[in-house]
Amino acid sequence: MADDAQIKVRRQFGLILTLISHRFGLTKNEIFESLPEYHERYNPHTEDKQEDLLQTFERDKREIRERGIVIDTFETETFSGGQETRYRIVEEDYDFPDGLNFSSAEITLLRLAAEAWRDGSLSEDSRHALTKLRSLGIPASEPLIGLAPRISTTAPAFEELKDILDKNAIATFLYLKPGATKPEQRTVAPLALVNRRGLWYVLAHDMDADAQRTFLLSRIVNKPKRLGTRTFEAAAEDYAAQLEAELDQLDLDNVAHVWVEPGSDAAVRLQAAHGAASEEGIVEIHFSDVNLLADELTEFGATVRPKSPSSLIDALRARFESLVATHNVKEHAHG
């Protein structure tokens, strides 16, 4: 029974990989020709309908669908004018929905799961199926070998820093500090990458200062590069938890009070994120970076007015003044 169960798992896994890798779908016969667990029971030269094989195929489809994987069935016209049924799994059906965010720990687990999937897809049966399909003149729209979910992020510099972090290596990049007009060269050993409210941070050992520093990835203005072949052996610490704790503490220590215009987009979005406004229309916002908060509030224009702290008032005023100056320059240019 154990052997039969293992064969079924390999057969269904191979079927999933094969259908994902052919976006234009495969016929039943093409599937039977390609997958070893079907092919060993398949005889294309007999008039017998091979009911046992067909029942196995139907059972496999049903069990795969019960796991939440949608096998799309559709009809296409043959050269002789008839119809044939084709099967496929549309990869785009499994894209993450817009607005879905993961914590740094969840990202790590998803990447590990993706690597496990990739290792599984390198099985001998998968290789055989791909080779057989190619021999039949059926091209794969996606590579079957090494196929794995892509766990990625749109944060600038993420992939480069993740690769350097995995190698315990040292990175160099240009970093634009808040209020600065020119970026500075930084040389750091990444220790942890953490996602916070949709923004990515890297905790790193600053090689020049010989101290830990936190950098916001969106302020890195070029592609980070590995510095030679040097490595940095960090102490065995949970640096991701350390960074998250530091950001939590900053949130507790920094509180802003912002008036929002009732019924405005600012009122809806800020109250949803930070809680209901007071009777005076004041929303209390805990934050870790005053410049990030000022950037967020700037888009709401006159529908928000910061009451405290003074650093937020100054930062928001500077942004509005810059916008006005830029607008005036453009007006004169089109004069």
Coordinates of all heavy atoms in Angstrom, one line a residue, residues 5-22 26 30-39 57 60-61 64 67 69 71 87-89 117 120-133 140 142-145 147:
A5 N 0.8 4.2 -2.7 CA 0.6 5.6 -2.3 C 1.8 6.5 -2.9 O 1.5 7.6 -3.3 CB 0.6 5.7 -0.8
Q6 N 3.0 6.0 -2.8 CA 4.1 6.8 -3.3 C 4.0 7.0 -4.8 O 4.3 8.0 -5.4 CB 5.4 6.1 -3.0 CG 5.7 6.1 -1.5 CD 7.0 5.3 -1.1 OE1 7.6 4.7 -2.0 NE2 7.3 5.2 0.1
I7 N 3.6 5.9 -5.5 CA 3.4 6.0 -7.0 C 2.3 7.0 -7.3 O 2.5 7.9 -8.2 CB 3.0 4.6 -7.6 CG1 4.2 3.7 -7.5 CG2 2.6 4.8 -9.0 CD1 3.9 2.2 -7.8
K8 N 1.2 7.0 -6.6 CA 0.2 8.0 -6.8 C 0.7 9.4 -6.6 O 0.4 10.3 -7.4 CB -1.0 7.7 -5.9 CG -2.2 8.7 -6.2 CD -3.4 8.3 -5.4 CE -3.3 8.7 -3.9 NZ -4.6 8.6 -3.2
V9 N 1.4 9.7 -5.5 CA 2.0 11.0 -5.3 C 2.9 11.5 -6.4 O 2.8 12.6 -6.9 CB 2.7 11.0 -3.9 CG1 3.5 12.3 -3.8 CG2 1.8 10.9 -2.7
R10 N 3.8 10.6 -6.8 CA 4.7 10.9 -7.9 C 3.9 11.2 -9.2 O 4.2 12.1 -10.0 CB 5.7 9.8 -8.2 CG 6.7 9.7 -7.2 CD 7.9 8.9 -7.7 NE 7.5 7.6 -8.2 CZ 7.6 6.5 -7.4 NH1 7.9 6.6 -6.1 NH2 7.2 5.3 -7.9
R11 N 2.8 10.4 -9.5 CA 2.0 10.6 -10.7 C 1.3 11.9 -10.7 O 1.3 12.6 -11.6 CB 1.0 9.4 -10.8 CG 0.3 9.4 -12.1 CD -0.7 8.2 -12.2 NE -1.7 8.2 -11.1 CZ -1.9 7.3 -10.2 NH1 -1.0 6.3 -10.1 NH2 -2.8 7.4 -9.3
Q12 N 0.7 12.2 -9.6 CA -0.1 13.5 -9.5 C 0.8 14.7 -9.5 O 0.5 15.7 -10.1 CB -1.0 13.4 -8.2 CG -2.1 12.4 -8.3 CD -3.0 12.4 -7.1 OE1 -2.8 13.1 -6.1 NE2 -4.0 11.6 -7.1
F13 N 2.0 14.6 -8.8 CA 2.9 15.6 -8.8 C 3.5 15.9 -10.2 O 3.6 17.0 -10.7 CB 4.1 15.3 -7.9 CG 5.1 16.4 -7.7 CD1 4.7 17.7 -7.3 CD2 6.5 16.2 -7.8 CE1 5.6 18.7 -7.1 CE2 7.4 17.2 -7.6 CZ 7.0 18.4 -7.3
G14 N 3.8 14.8 -10.9 CA 4.2 14.9 -12.3 C 3.1 15.6 -13.2 O 3.4 16.4 -14.1
L15 N 1.9 15.2 -12.9 CA 0.8 15.7 -13.7 C 0.6 17.3 -13.5 O 0.5 18.0 -14.4 CB -0.5 15.0 -13.4 CG -1.8 15.5 -14.1 CD1 -1.7 15.4 -15.6 CD2 -3.0 14.7 -13.6
I16 N 0.8 17.7 -12.2 CA 0.7 19.1 -11.9 C 1.8 19.9 -12.6 O 1.6 20.9 -13.3 CB 0.8 19.3 -10.4 CG1 -0.5 18.8 -9.7 CG2 1.0 20.8 -10.1 CD1 -0.4 18.7 -8.2
L17 N 3.0 19.4 -12.5 CA 4.2 20.1 -13.2 C 4.0 20.1 -14.7 O 4.3 21.1 -15.3 CB 5.5 19.3 -12.8 CG 6.0 19.4 -11.4 CD1 7.2 18.5 -11.2 CD2 6.3 20.9 -11.0
T18 N 3.5 19.0 -15.3 CA 3.4 19.0 -16.7 C 2.3 20.0 -17.2 O 2.5 20.7 -18.2 CB 3.0 17.6 -17.2 OG1 4.0 16.6 -16.7 CG2 2.9 17.5 -18.7
L19 N 1.2 20.0 -16.5 CA 0.1 20.9 -16.9 C 0.5 22.4 -16.7 O 0.1 23.3 -17.5 CB -1.2 20.6 -16.2 CG -1.8 19.2 -16.5 CD1 -3.0 19.0 -15.8 CD2 -2.0 19.0 -18.0
I20 N 1.2 22.7 -15.6 CA 1.7 24.1 -15.4 C 2.6 24.5 -16.5 O 2.6 25.7 -17.0 CB 2.4 24.2 -14.0 CG1 1.4 24.1 -12.9 CG2 3.1 25.5 -13.9 CD1 2.0 24.1 -11.5
S21 N 3.4 23.6 -17.0 CA 4.5 24.0 -17.9 C 4.0 24.1 -19.4 O 4.8 24.5 -20.3 CB 5.7 23.0 -17.8 OG 5.3 21.7 -18.3
H22 N 2.8 23.9 -19.6 CA 2.2 23.9 -21.0 C 1.0 24.8 -21.0 O -0.1 24.3 -20.8 CB 2.0 22.6 -21.6 CG 3.2 21.8 -21.8 ND1 3.9 21.1 -20.8 CD2 4.0 21.6 -22.9 CE1 5.0 20.5 -21.3 NE2 5.1 20.8 -22.6
L26 N -2.5 20.2 -22.8 CA -2.2 18.9 -23.4 C -3.4 18.1 -23.5 O -4.3 18.2 -22.7 CB -1.2 18.2 -22.5 CG 0.2 18.9 -22.3 CD1 1.0 18.2 -21.2 CD2 1.0 18.8 -23.6
E30 N -1.5 12.9 -25.0 CA -0.1 13.5 -24.8 C 0.3 13.4 -23.3 O 1.5 13.1 -23.1 CB -0.2 15.0 -25.2 CG -0.3 15.2 -26.7 CD -0.6 16.7 -27.0 OE1 -1.0 17.4 -26.1 OE2 -0.5 17.0 -28.2
I31 N -0.6 13.5 -22.4 CA -0.3 13.2 -21.0 C 0.1 11.8 -20.8 O 1.1 11.5 -20.1 CB -1.5 13.6 -20.1 CG1 -1.7 15.2 -20.2 CG2 -1.3 13.2 -18.7 CD1 -3.0 15.6 -19.6
F32 N -0.7 10.9 -21.3 CA -0.4 9.4 -21.1 C 1.0 9.1 -21.8 O 1.7 8.2 -21.3 CB -1.5 8.6 -21.8 CG -2.8 8.7 -21.1 CD1 -4.0 8.2 -21.7 CD2 -2.9 9.2 -19.8 CE1 -5.2 8.3 -21.0 CE2 -4.1 9.3 -19.1 CZ -5.3 8.8 -19.8
E33 N 1.3 9.7 -22.9 CA 2.6 9.4 -23.5 C 3.8 9.9 -22.7 O 4.8 9.3 -22.7 CB 2.6 10.1 -24.9 CG 1.9 9.4 -26.0 CD 2.7 8.3 -26.6 OE1 3.8 8.0 -26.1 OE2 2.2 7.6 -27.6
S34 N 3.6 11.0 -22.0 CA 4.7 11.7 -21.3 C 5.0 11.2 -19.9 O 6.2 11.2 -19.6 CB 4.5 13.2 -21.3 OG 3.3 13.5 -20.5
L35 N 4.0 11.0 -19.1 CA 4.3 10.6 -17.7 C 4.5 9.1 -17.5 O 3.6 8.3 -17.9 CB 3.1 11.1 -16.9 CG 3.0 12.6 -16.7 CD1 1.7 13.0 -16.0 CD2 4.2 13.2 -15.9
P36 N 5.6 8.7 -16.9 CA 5.9 7.3 -16.8 C 4.8 6.4 -16.2 O 4.5 5.3 -16.6 CB 7.2 7.3 -15.9 CG 7.8 8.6 -16.1 CD 6.6 9.6 -16.3
E37 N 4.2 7.0 -15.1 CA 3.2 6.2 -14.4 C 1.9 5.9 -15.2 O 1.2 5.0 -15.0 CB 2.8 6.8 -13.0 CG 3.9 6.8 -12.0 CD 4.9 7.8 -12.2 OE1 4.7 8.7 -13.0 OE2 5.9 7.8 -11.5
Y38 N 1.6 6.8 -16.2 CA 0.6 6.6 -17.1 C 1.1 5.7 -18.3 O 0.4 4.8 -18.8 CB 0.0 7.9 -17.6 CG -0.8 8.7 -16.6 CD1 -0.4 10.0 -16.4 CD2 -1.9 8.2 -16.0 CE1 -1.1 10.8 -15.5 CE2 -2.6 9.0 -15.1 CZ -2.2 10.3 -14.8 OH -2.9 11.0 -13.9
H39 N 2.3 6.1 -18.8 CA 2.8 5.5 -20.0 C 2.9 4.0 -19.9 O 2.7 3.3 -20.9 CB 4.1 6.2 -20.4 CG 4.7 5.7 -21.7 ND1 4.1 6.0 -22.9 CD2 5.7 4.9 -22.0 CE1 4.8 5.4 -23.9 NE2 5.8 4.8 -23.3
F57 N -6.8 8.4 -14.3 CA -6.7 9.8 -14.7 C -7.8 10.7 -14.1 O -7.5 11.8 -13.6 CB -6.6 9.9 -16.2 CG -6.5 11.3 -16.8 CD1 -5.4 12.1 -16.5 CD2 -7.5 11.9 -17.5 CE1 -5.2 13.4 -17.0 CE2 -7.4 13.2 -18.0 CZ -6.2 13.9 -17.8
D60 N -7.2 11.1 -10.4 CA -6.1 12.0 -10.2 C -6.5 13.5 -10.3 O -6.2 14.3 -9.5 CB -4.9 11.8 -11.1 CG -4.2 10.5 -10.7 OD1 -4.3 10.1 -9.6 OD2 -3.5 10.0 -11.6
K61 N -7.3 13.8 -11.4 CA -7.8 15.1 -11.6 C -8.7 15.6 -10.4 O -8.6 16.7 -9.9 CB -8.6 15.2 -12.9 CG -7.7 15.2 -14.2 CD -8.6 15.6 -15.4 CE -9.7 14.7 -15.6 NZ -10.7 15.1 -16.6
I64 N -6.6 16.2 -7.3 CA -5.8 17.4 -7.4 C -6.7 18.7 -7.2 O -6.3 19.6 -6.6 CB -5.1 17.5 -8.8 CG1 -3.9 16.4 -8.8 CG2 -4.5 18.9 -9.1 CD1 -3.3 16.2 -10.1
R67 N -7.6 19.5 -3.7 CA -6.5 20.2 -3.0 C -6.5 21.7 -3.3 O -5.6 22.5 -2.9 CB -5.2 19.6 -3.3 CG -5.0 18.2 -2.8 CD -3.6 17.7 -3.0 NE -3.4 16.3 -2.6 CZ -3.5 15.3 -3.3 NH1 -3.7 15.4 -4.6 NH2 -3.3 14.1 -2.8
I69 N -6.3 23.0 -6.5 CA -5.6 23.3 -7.8 C -6.5 23.2 -8.9 O -7.1 22.1 -9.1 CB -4.4 22.4 -8.0 CG1 -3.4 22.5 -6.8 CG2 -3.7 22.6 -9.3 CD1 -2.2 21.6 -6.8
I71 N -7.6 22.6 -12.5 CA -7.3 22.0 -13.8 C -8.3 22.5 -14.8 O -9.5 22.2 -14.7 CB -7.2 20.5 -13.8 CG1 -6.1 20.0 -12.8 CG2 -6.9 20.0 -15.2 CD1 -6.0 18.5 -12.7
Y87 N -6.1 19.9 -21.4 CA -6.0 20.2 -20.0 C -4.8 21.1 -19.7 O -3.8 20.9 -20.3 CB -5.9 18.9 -19.2 CG -7.0 17.9 -19.5 CD1 -6.9 17.0 -20.5 CD2 -8.2 17.9 -18.7 CE1 -7.9 16.1 -20.8 CE2 -9.2 17.0 -19.0 CZ -9.0 16.1 -20.1 OH -10.0 15.2 -20.4
R88 N -5.0 22.0 -18.7 CA -3.9 22.9 -18.3 C -4.1 23.4 -16.9 O -5.2 23.4 -16.4 CB -3.7 24.0 -19.3 CG -4.9 25.0 -19.3 CD -4.7 26.2 -20.3 NE -5.9 27.0 -20.3 CZ -6.0 28.0 -21.1 NH1 -5.1 28.3 -22.0 NH2 -7.1 28.8 -21.1
I89 N -3.0 23.9 -16.3 CA -3.1 24.6 -15.1 C -2.6 26.0 -15.3 O -1.4 26.1 -15.8 CB -2.3 24.0 -13.9 CG1 -3.0 22.6 -13.6 CG2 -2.3 24.8 -12.7 CD1 -2.2 21.8 -12.6
W117 N 10.0 22.9 -3.2 CA 9.2 22.6 -4.5 C 10.2 22.4 -5.7 O 10.1 21.5 -6.5 CB 8.2 23.7 -4.7 CG 7.5 23.6 -6.0 CD1 7.9 24.1 -7.2 CD2 6.2 22.9 -6.2 NE1 6.9 23.8 -8.2 CE2 5.9 23.1 -7.6 CE3 5.3 22.2 -5.4 CZ2 4.7 22.6 -8.2 CZ3 4.2 21.7 -6.0 CH2 3.9 21.9 -7.3
G120 N 11.9 19.1 -5.5 CA 11.0 18.0 -5.9 C 10.8 18.0 -7.4 O 10.6 16.9 -8.0
S121 N 10.8 19.1 -8.1 CA 10.5 19.2 -9.5 C 11.7 18.6 -10.3 O 11.6 18.4 -11.5 CB 10.2 20.6 -10.0 OG 11.3 21.4 -10.0
L122 N 12.8 18.4 -9.6 CA 14.0 17.9 -10.3 C 14.1 16.4 -10.3 O 15.1 15.8 -10.6 CB 15.3 18.5 -9.7 CG 15.5 20.0 -9.9 CD1 16.6 20.4 -8.9 CD2 16.0 20.2 -11.3
S123 N 12.9 15.8 -10.0 CA 12.9 14.3 -10.0 C 13.2 13.7 -11.3 O 12.9 14.3 -12.4 CB 11.6 13.8 -9.4 OG 10.6 14.1 -10.3
E124 N 13.6 12.4 -11.3 CA 13.8 11.7 -12.6 C 12.6 11.6 -13.4 O 12.6 11.7 -14.6 CB 14.4 10.3 -12.3 CG 14.9 9.6 -13.5 CD 16.1 10.3 -14.1 OE1 16.9 10.9 -13.4 OE2 16.3 10.2 -15.3
D125 N 11.4 11.4 -12.8 CA 10.2 11.3 -13.5 C 9.8 12.6 -14.2 O 9.3 12.6 -15.4 CB 9.0 10.9 -12.5 CG 9.1 9.5 -12.0 OD1 9.8 8.7 -12.7 OD2 8.6 9.2 -11.0
S126 N 10.1 13.7 -13.6 CA 9.8 15.0 -14.2 C 10.7 15.2 -15.4 O 10.3 15.7 -16.4 CB 10.0 16.1 -13.2 OG 9.1 16.0 -12.1
R127 N 12.0 14.8 -15.3 CA 12.9 15.0 -16.4 C 12.4 14.1 -17.6 O 12.5 14.5 -18.7 CB 14.3 14.5 -16.0 CG 15.0 15.4 -14.9 CD 16.3 14.8 -14.5 NE 17.0 15.5 -13.4 CZ 17.7 16.6 -13.6 NH1 18.0 17.0 -14.8 NH2 18.3 17.1 -12.5
H128 N 12.0 12.9 -17.2 CA 11.6 12.0 -18.3 C 10.3 12.5 -19.0 O 10.3 12.5 -20.3 CB 11.2 10.6 -17.7 CG 10.7 9.6 -18.7 ND1 11.6 8.7 -19.3 CD2 9.5 9.3 -19.2 CE1 10.9 7.9 -20.1 NE2 9.6 8.3 -20.1
A129 N 9.4 13.1 -18.2 CA 8.2 13.6 -18.9 C 8.5 14.8 -19.8 O 8.0 14.9 -20.9 CB 7.2 14.1 -17.8
L130 N 9.4 15.7 -19.4 CA 9.8 16.8 -20.2 C 10.5 16.3 -21.5 O 10.1 16.8 -22.6 CB 10.7 17.8 -19.5 CG 11.2 19.0 -20.3 CD1 10.0 19.8 -20.7 CD2 12.1 19.8 -19.5
T131 N 11.4 15.4 -21.4 CA 12.1 14.9 -22.5 C 11.1 14.2 -23.5 O 11.2 14.4 -24.7 CB 13.2 13.8 -22.1 OG1 14.1 14.5 -21.2 CG2 13.9 13.3 -23.3
K132 N 10.2 13.4 -23.0 CA 9.2 12.8 -23.8 C 8.3 13.7 -24.6 O 8.1 13.6 -25.8 CB 8.3 11.8 -22.9 CG 7.3 11.0 -23.7 CD 8.0 10.0 -24.6 CE 7.0 9.1 -25.3 NZ 7.7 8.1 -26.1
L133 N 7.9 14.8 -23.9 CA 7.0 15.8 -24.6 C 7.8 16.5 -25.7 O 7.2 16.8 -26.7 CB 6.5 16.8 -23.5 CG 5.4 16.3 -22.6 CD1 5.2 17.2 -21.4 CD2 4.1 16.1 -23.4
A140 N 7.5 23.3 -24.3 CA 7.1 23.8 -22.9 C 7.1 25.3 -22.9 O 8.1 25.9 -23.3 CB 7.9 23.2 -21.8
E142 N 6.9 27.0 -20.1 CA 7.7 27.3 -19.0 C 8.6 26.1 -18.7 O 8.3 25.0 -19.0 CB 6.8 27.5 -17.7 CG 6.0 28.8 -17.8 CD 6.8 30.1 -17.7 OE1 7.9 30.0 -17.3 OE2 6.2 31.1 -18.1
P143 N 9.8 26.3 -18.2 CA 10.7 25.1 -17.9 C 10.1 24.3 -16.8 O 9.8 24.7 -15.8 CB 12.0 25.8 -17.5 CG 11.6 27.1 -17.0 CD 10.5 27.6 -17.8
L144 N 10.0 23.0 -17.1 CA 9.5 22.0 -16.1 C 10.6 21.7 -15.1 O 10.3 21.7 -13.9 CB 9.1 20.7 -16.8 CG 8.5 19.6 -15.9 CD1 7.3 20.1 -15.3 CD2 8.3 18.4 -16.8
I145 N 11.8 21.6 -15.5 CA 12.9 21.3 -14.6 C 13.2 22.5 -13.7 O 13.5 23.6 -14.2 CB 14.2 20.8 -15.3 CG1 13.8 19.6 -16.2 CG2 15.3 20.5 -14.3 CD1 13.2 18.5 -15.4
L147 N 11.1 24.1 -11.8 CA 10.0 25.0 -11.7 C 9.7 25.2 -10.2 O 9.7 24.3 -9.4 CB 8.8 24.4 -12.4 CG 7.5 25.2 -12.4 CD1 7.7 26.4 -13.3 CD2 6.3 24.4 -12.9

